[in-house]
Amino acid sequence: MDVKLWNDKREREMYDNFADLYAIIKATEKLEKAYVRDLITSSVYEPECLKLIAQFKTLTSSLVGALPSIERFAEIYKMDCPAALNRLVSSGIPATYEHRASAAASTTGSAAVVAECVQHFITAMDTLKLNMVAVDQLHPILYDLSGSLNKLGILPPDFEGKVKMKEWISRLANMGASDELTEQQSRQLHFDLESSYNLFMAALPNSGA
């Protein structure tokens, strides 16, 4: 006799999402352990970790209200995945980024600011991927990113990320709170964020240097 876990299409979709969430947490735990044990290189670990973090954020945003907390989810399904929970919930960025932040701290004493910048960059790009393109959704995120970039002494005043974020903040300030970016504007903002982020990471001292 088959046992049905759901009563309708909506419940079935919820359980499918739970299964995906379970798989993401398990995959992250395996990835973290492989990296710690030096079974994979940083160049392999970093993009995979970024992908899992993005998938996690996208999925959990669709489960708001259906899930009390990720920790509770792990407890219910008896998941012993401390490394994954730390990476996905507590940190939100790959371990390699944390290492770069530590390297920057040895030069600038600004590890917390570097971590802030990384988190703001990722949040901004994830917001666009989730099609959250209203001015009142984007402006505070870009404002926080700009503020963090300006606090970091290793970046010059004409650093592209600083200039681009200032331009976008000014543009959004001249729009209404409920106005939304067009598809072309959204793509351009994502491009500017991604290029600025890559330049930002390149500007950080190398942890292996």
Side-chain angles (χ1 to χ4, degrees), residues 118-137:
V118 170
Q119 190 65 61
H120 290 322
F121 267 121
I122 292 175
T123 299
M125 289 187 281
D126 284 348
T127 298
L128 290 173
K129 288 176 184 176
L130 292 170
N131 201 34
M132 297 169 65
V133 293
V135 170
D136 60 356
Q137 293 171 321

Side-chain angles (χ1 to χ4, degrees), residues 33-91:
K33 286 183 176 178
Y35 180 63
V36 168
R37 293 168 183 168
D38 213 18
L39 299 176
I40 56 174
T41 63
S42 297
S43 60
V44 172
Y45 165 81
E46 191 169 295
E48 284 300 313
C49 190
L50 278 172
K51 183 175 74 172
L52 287 166
I53 290 170
Q55 290 172 337
F56 173 79
K57 288 184 176 180
T58 301
L59 187 57
T60 51
S61 69
S62 69
L63 287 171
V64 173
L67 207 59
S69 71
I70 300 303
E71 291 83 357
R72 179 60 180 152
F73 176 86
E75 183 182 339
I76 291 171
Y77 292 99
K78 304 188 187 312
M79 302 181 73
D80 184 21
C81 299
L85 294 180
N86 175 65
R87 185 63 50 215
L88 296 170
V89 181
S90 303
S91 173

